Amino acid sequence: MDKRLFVIGDPIAHSLSPLLHNTMARLLGLPYAYAARRVTVEALPAWIREVRREGYAGFNATMPHKLHLMPLVDDLTEQARYFGAVNTVRRDGARLIGHNTDGDGFARMLAEHGWAFAGARVTVLGAGGAAGAIVRKAVQDGAASVTVLNRTVSKAAQLCPGEPTVHAAGLDAPVPPDTDLLINTIPIQAAPDGSILEGLRRDCAVVDILYAPPKTPLLLAAEARGMPAVNGLGMLIHQAILAFRFFTGAEADDAALARALYRAAETGAD
């Protein structure tokens, strides 16, 4: 079986995924090699044909592919169906199986900081593939309420239709002042500035799922207000651990792996 794994996206040069997955392969003594590949939306069907032709073991996907992959794979796991997006694809014989590790990876990152969705009032900025996974995980884990703010309100409303705890509004709407957890999923060039934090409690946690740069303008503004602020590196690391297990079937001490991956990300060496 081919042991090549990839991450695809556009852009992709900044991705830490090759470093993380190659570190796990080395630590676990598994003969997998993981690389980044720039793939545009237009080239995604050709990429799927290449994966089938070459017999690659699998791949991860980041923006803008998580929604586009849904109809292109042969089957979807329960997680991919529930979260409505695919960020991990594994070869299973001749079939490609779409999976999602974003929601569970995000929840694991929250737990590292002593936070949880259960009982929390959550506000999510953006309504893309990652936002969908986060919103649905919040619902699954028992959030008291989830407010989704997006430029296109109808797109936000589609993330969890019929769920009474989920509310959609425009990006210009105020963040509910009782928010416990504010999560930004909008790319840095379009993300709201620190003024969106006005009126929030100082103990409201602010998470930006971006990890490059390590401190976005939103996180810097949160820190300046004395609010707990975290970037998306932990989400990336924990979803990578779950994805690597999905690719390889290898069991490992997840806490020890996470510590090793944080060190690798800090030093830039696997």
Side-chain angles (χ1 to χ4, degrees):
M1 177 181 173
D2 194 302
K3 300 294 185 181
R4 284 175 290 178
L5 296 166
F6 295 87
V7 59
I8 63 168
D10 183 24
I12 200 61
H14 67 285
S15 178
L16 287 177
S17 291
L19 173 66
L20 301 181
H21 283 264
N22 287 323
T23 296
M24 287 188 282
R26 177 181 59 80
L27 291 174
L28 298 177
L30 297 174
Y32 287 85
Y34 191 106
R37 180 80 69 87
R38 178 175 175 264
V39 176
T40 66
V41 170
E42 295 75 16
L44 187 58
W47 165 255
I48 293 293
R49 290 193 295 271
E50 179 180 336
V51 172
R52 295 183 188 279
R53 182 179 67 249
E54 300 297 329
Y56 300 148
F59 64 94
N60 288 120
T62 186
M63 293 187 293
H65 299 311
K66 296 180 182 183
L67 302 181
H68 296 291
L69 278 167
M70 292 283 286
L72 296 180
V73 296
D74 298 308
D75 202 1
L76 298 167
T77 64
E78 181 179 342
Q79 290 94 327
R81 293 181 189 279
Y82 176 72
F83 291 122
V86 167
N87 78 330
T88 304
V89 176
R90 182 187 69 202
R91 170 176 292 280
D92 186 0
R95 299 178 65 77
L96 299 181
I97 312 300
H99 184 52
N100 190 293
T101 63
D102 279 337
D104 290 339
F106 189 90
R108 288 186 176 204
M109 180 269 290
L110 289 183
E112 279 191 334
H113 296 278
W115 306 329
F117 281 132
R121 295 173 291 265
V122 180
T123 298
V124 177
L125 308 179
I134 290 168
V135 168
R136 292 179 178 97
K137 183 62 177 175
V139 170
Q140 187 179 60
D141 285 1
S145 65
V146 183
T147 300
V148 185
L149 304 184
N150 192 57
R151 295 189 193 281
T152 306
V153 179
S154 59
K155 186 175 180 183
Q158 291 169 5
L159 293 186
C160 231
E163 175 54 52
T165 60
V166 178
H167 314 281
L171 199 54
D172 55 351
V175 176
D178 61 352
T179 295
D180 300 307
L181 182 59
L182 176 67
I183 304 162
N184 178 52
T185 71
I186 300 173
I188 191 168
Q189 63 270 20
D193 60 28
S195 65
I196 202 167
L197 304 176
E198 294 176 6
L200 298 183
R201 303 189 319 271
R202 296 303 171 94
D203 63 347
C204 171
V206 179
V207 180
D208 197 319
I209 68 166
L210 300 177
Y211 59 87
K215 293 188 178 181
T216 63
L218 182 65
L219 294 182
L220 289 170
E223 289 180 350
R225 291 171 57 86
M227 303 169 74
V230 175
N231 69 19
L233 180 59
M235 177 186 180
L236 178 72
I237 284 174
H238 285 287
Q239 68 83 18
I241 291 170
L242 294 170
F244 195 77
R245 177 172 298 135
F246 184 71
F247 288 140
T248 68
E251 295 292 337
D253 181 333
D254 288 356
L257 268 186
R259 290 191 295 271
L261 296 183
Y262 277 114
R263 288 194 298 270
E266 181 178 351
T267 63
D270 60 25

